[in-house]
């Protein structure tokens, strides 16, 4: 059913994604058009993966995958056309067969778009590491743009950007929301393993082979899950692309401005709005200032340079003289380890000398400088001793390793052949030893296992894990193909069933019962309701007159087979199932809207309102009847 223009308003990314999911769950046409291409991509990808694993030639699998990808592009174009007709209704009632014929009519442009999008996405992913795939979002509506016939397919990205207009930001967030496919990936894995668990526990079938195949460490299983998830989201991609183009058109035509003005309070209507670039300029200034604050300041401190031991002795001697320390003090014997410091300790020595000089010369605190000097020299001595011990241990270990080599091993002395020693005669065991031997023999007989009987070869079981898994795979594939065929046939043959249907009025109650029910539209003929409406209008009861005219309209539409009257349905349900003449649908929608406002909304109706309602109803009531049901 086409959507009224007043119902189209700018949507955010979450609202568009929600609308796409609802459309895909409630309409079988999008699945009928996308499932063949998705199934072909899944089969071709699995065949290619198996060929790579087995080392087969890749020419045929690559060709099949290319053909499946082009078939997928054709299905995407047909689905975009179907969703657009479902929303806007520019060419009458949408049908999967008509959308497929429209896609076949634009097949060259769709094939060019398939090659263009594949090359662009591959180039973007390779050059940006996948990051640019999220930022460059306009080409996500490529198939929908091609089906509208605007622009050249070779300039597809520019055409998509122009059609999206202000909705480009929404397209960016929609692409980010499509990452929900990761959750679907893991949900498929969990669901399949749960089914295997139920089959093993409840049915008692050995599914070890299937469980081993459906594990995350199996590459083929991961490829199957990935391509299946991709195929399941094909209808969502087509629906979101079409909705994004509709949203961009709505924003460009100014309906978002009208909705915003209507939502503003009355006291703020006269207040001047800031210029369009003010907010963007402020945001850019904040970003620049933030980047300036985050920039690291240059370091002014110079890195410490290695200090030679002789220079360190000279500078420490100046500190000692400045602090009037004699040479026979305790620190005099602590200078010796400075000569043994290695290159790794030279930088630390430089910092230590600078610290002592700062305390002695800058702070003029000689006591603190002497204490720091004594403590530092003591620590250096301990460090030199530990380093010497470590070097000694390393040298000893290295020497041991060298001596352990085969070339330094000492040859074992050859054993001299001595004369065999005479064997002593065996001693006769005493009674205790004989008792122990007898007891051991009895225990050995008691606990010794009986000789195993030869096992008879048994026949192989009829049901094994591998055979059950193979049968299960065949059954699942057969069921999938059967469901796909049924959905496709129902979607393509829906218009044929409508064309052959006859307008038959069905009455579940007799005429006497209907005549006594004043609220039932079928209790009077259309002419009777119209005559009653004129009588009520003459008495000034215009609301009741409008109701009588609407009931006359429902009675006439039921008689012609355009609707199936049922008291449990609402007026808008009749509009959604309308199967009458195409030119009647717009006035029927307008009459339904006016009747709801007048009868259920309690809006006052005057003589002018009744005359307008009568003028809209008269062509539908006075039109000649048709013997068959007209197509919508």
């Amino acid at each position: 059913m086409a959507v009224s223009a007043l119902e189209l308003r700018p949507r955010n990314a979450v609202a568009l994604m929600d609308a796409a999911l609802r459309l895909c769950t409630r309409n079988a046409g999008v699945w009928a058009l996308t499932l063949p291409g998705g199934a072909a991509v899944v089969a071709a990808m699995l065949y290619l993966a198996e060929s790579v694993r087995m080392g087969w030639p890749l020419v045929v699998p690559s060709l099949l995958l290319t053909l499946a990808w082009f078939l997928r592009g054709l299905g995407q174009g047909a689905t975009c056309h179907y969703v657009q007709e479902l929303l806007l209704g520019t060419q009458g009632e949408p049908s999967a067969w008509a959308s497929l014929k429209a896609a076949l009519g634009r097949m060259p442009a769709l094939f060019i778009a398939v090659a263009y999008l594949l090359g662009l996405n591959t180039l973007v992913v390779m050059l940006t590491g996948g990051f640019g795939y999220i930022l460059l979002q306009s080409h996500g509506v490529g198939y929908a743009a091609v089906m509208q016939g605007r622009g050249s397919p070779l300039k597809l990205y520019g055409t998509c950007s122009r059609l999206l207009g202000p909705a480009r930001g929404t397209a960016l967030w929609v692409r980010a929301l499509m990452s929900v496919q990761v959750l679907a990936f893991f949900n498929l894995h969990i669901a399949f393993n749960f089914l295997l668990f139920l089959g093993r526990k409840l049915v008692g079938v050995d599914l070890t082979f299937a469980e081993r195949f459906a594990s995350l460490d199996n590459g083929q299983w991961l490829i199957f899950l990935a391509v299946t998830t991709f195929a399941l989201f094909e209808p969502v991609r087509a629906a979101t692309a079409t909705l994004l183009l509709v949203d961009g058109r709505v924003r460009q035509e100014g309906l978002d401005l009208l909705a915003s003005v209507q939502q503003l309070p009355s006291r703020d209507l006269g207040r001047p709005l800031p210029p369009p670039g003010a907010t963007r300029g402020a945001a850019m200034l904040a970003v620049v200032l933030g980047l300036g604050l985050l920039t690291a300041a240059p370091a002014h401190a110079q890195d410490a340079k290695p200090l030679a031991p002789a220079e360190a002795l000279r500078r420490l001697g100046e500190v000692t003289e400045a602090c009037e320390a004699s040479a026979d003090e305790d620190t005099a014997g602590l200078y010796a380890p400075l000569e043994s410091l290695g290159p790794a300790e030279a930088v630390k020595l430089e910092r230590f000398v600078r610290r002592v000089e700062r305390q002695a010369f800058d702070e003029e605190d000689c006591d603190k400088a002497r204490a720091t000097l004594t403590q530092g020299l003591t620590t250096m001595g301990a460090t030199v001793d530990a380093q010497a011990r470590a070097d000694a241990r390393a040298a000893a270990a290295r020497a041991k390793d060298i001596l352990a080599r085969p070339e330094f091993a000492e040859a074992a002395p050859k054993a001299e052949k001595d004369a065999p020693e005479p064997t002593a005669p065996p001693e006769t065991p005493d009674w205790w030893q004989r008792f122990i031997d007898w007891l051991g023999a009895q225990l050995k007989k008691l606990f010794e296992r009986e000789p195993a009987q030869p096992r008879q070869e048994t026949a192989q079981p009829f049901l094994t894990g591998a055979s059950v898994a193979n049968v299960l795979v065949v059954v699942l594939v057969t069921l999938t193909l059967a469901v796909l065929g049924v959905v496709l046939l129902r979607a393509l043959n829906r218009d044929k069933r409508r064309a052959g249907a006859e307008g038959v009025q069905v009455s579940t109650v007799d005429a006497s019962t209907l005549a006594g029910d004043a609220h039932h539209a079928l209790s009077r003929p259309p002419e009777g309701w119209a005559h009653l409406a004129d009588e009520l209008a003459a008495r000034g009861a215009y609301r009741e007159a409008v109701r009588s005219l609407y009931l006359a309209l429902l009675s006439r539409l039921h008689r012609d087979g355009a609707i199936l009257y049922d008291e449990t349905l609402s007026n808008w349900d009749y509009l959604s199932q309308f199967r009458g003449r195409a030119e009647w649908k717009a006035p029927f929608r307008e009459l339904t809207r006016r009747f709801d406002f007048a009868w259920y909304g309690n809006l006052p109706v005057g003589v002018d309102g009744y005359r307008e309602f009568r003028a809209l109803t008269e062509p539908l009531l006075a039109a000649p009847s048709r013997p068959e049901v007209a197509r919508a």
Side-chain angles (χ1 to χ4, degrees), residues 285-534:
L285 180 60
V287 171
V288 172
L289 291 177
L291 292 177
L293 292 175
L294 293 176
T295 305
H300 297 287
Q302 297 180 356
D303 296 335
K305 297 181 180 180
L307 183 64
E311 180 66 19
L313 288 175
R314 185 185 64 78
R315 293 170 62 178
L316 290 177
E318 293 178 357
V319 172
T320 304
E321 294 178 0
C323 291
E324 299 178 354
S326 58
D328 55 354
E329 292 184 358
D330 297 338
T331 58
L334 299 177
Y335 289 106
L338 295 180
E339 300 290 343
S340 302
L341 290 177
E345 305 294 335
V347 177
K348 299 179 182 179
L349 179 62
E350 169 64 21
R351 291 198 295 266
F352 169 70
V353 172
R354 289 171 59 185
R355 180 182 177 187
V356 173
E357 289 177 346
R358 184 177 66 254
Q359 293 175 354
F361 299 136
D362 298 341
E363 301 177 2
E364 297 182 356
D365 190 353
C366 290
D367 295 335
K368 186 176 181 180
R370 284 195 297 269
T372 303
L373 178 61
T374 303
Q375 183 180 2
L377 292 176
T378 304
T379 303
M380 290 182 185
T383 302
V384 170
D385 294 340
Q387 184 176 0
R389 289 193 295 270
D391 294 342
R393 287 194 297 269
R398 179 173 176 79
K400 290 181 180 179
D401 293 339
I402 294 174
L403 293 176
R405 294 176 182 175
E407 57 267 21
F408 296 102
E410 296 181 359
K414 297 182 179 180
E416 299 180 358
K417 295 182 179 180
D418 300 332
E421 297 181 357
T423 58
E427 297 182 359
T428 303
D430 54 358
W431 65 272
W432 177 253
Q433 185 65 33
R434 290 195 302 271
F435 174 75
I436 293 299
D437 295 341
W438 175 83
L439 182 61
Q442 295 299 325
L443 292 175
K444 184 177 181 181
K445 292 180 180 179
L446 179 63
F447 292 102
E448 187 178 12
R449 294 183 179 180
E450 297 180 358
Q453 298 293 333
R455 297 178 59 183
Q456 298 180 358
E457 296 293 334
T458 59
Q460 293 292 333
F462 181 73
L463 290 178
T464 61
S467 61
V468 172
N470 293 332
V471 172
L472 183 60
V473 170
V474 173
V475 170
L476 290 178
V477 172
T478 305
L479 290 178
T480 303
L481 293 177
V483 171
L484 175 60
V486 170
V487 171
L488 186 60
L489 290 177
R490 290 183 61 185
L492 296 180
N493 295 332
R494 184 176 58 182
D495 292 338
K496 297 182 179 179
R497 292 197 302 268
R498 290 176 183 171
E502 295 182 358
V504 181
Q505 297 185 6
V506 180
S507 178
T508 57
V509 293
D510 54 1
S512 60
T513 304
L514 294 178
D517 189 0
H519 300 283
H520 202 284
L522 303 183
S523 61
R524 297 172 183 261
E527 296 81 5
W529 283 115
H531 183 68
L532 179 59
D534 294 336

Side-chain angles (χ1 to χ4, degrees), residues 223-268:
I223 294 175
F224 173 77
L225 287 180
V227 295
T228 304
T229 305
F230 179 85
L232 289 178
F233 273 79
E234 286 291 88
V236 182
R237 292 187 185 89
T240 51
T242 307
L243 289 174
L244 280 171
L245 287 185
V246 173
D247 187 71
R249 177 182 173 185
V250 171
R251 292 176 185 272
Q252 290 177 357
E253 290 177 353
L255 292 181
D256 56 339
L257 180 60
L258 177 60
S260 301
V261 172
Q262 290 177 354
Q263 294 175 1
L264 287 176
S266 58
R267 61 178 181 272
D268 293 334

Side-chain angles (χ1 to χ4, degrees), residues 78-129:
T79 308
C80 292
H81 182 273
Y82 180 84
V83 174
Q84 181 178 354
E85 292 300 318
L86 190 66
L87 293 175
L88 304 180
T90 57
Q91 299 178 2
E93 187 70 13
S95 65
W97 183 250
S99 299
L100 183 59
K101 290 194 294 185
L104 291 175
R106 295 190 177 276
M107 186 168 59
L110 282 175
F111 284 174
I112 295 175
V114 169
Y116 181 93
L117 293 176
L118 182 61
L120 179 61
N121 290 329
T122 304
L123 188 63
V124 168
V125 170
M126 291 178 59
L127 294 181
T128 63

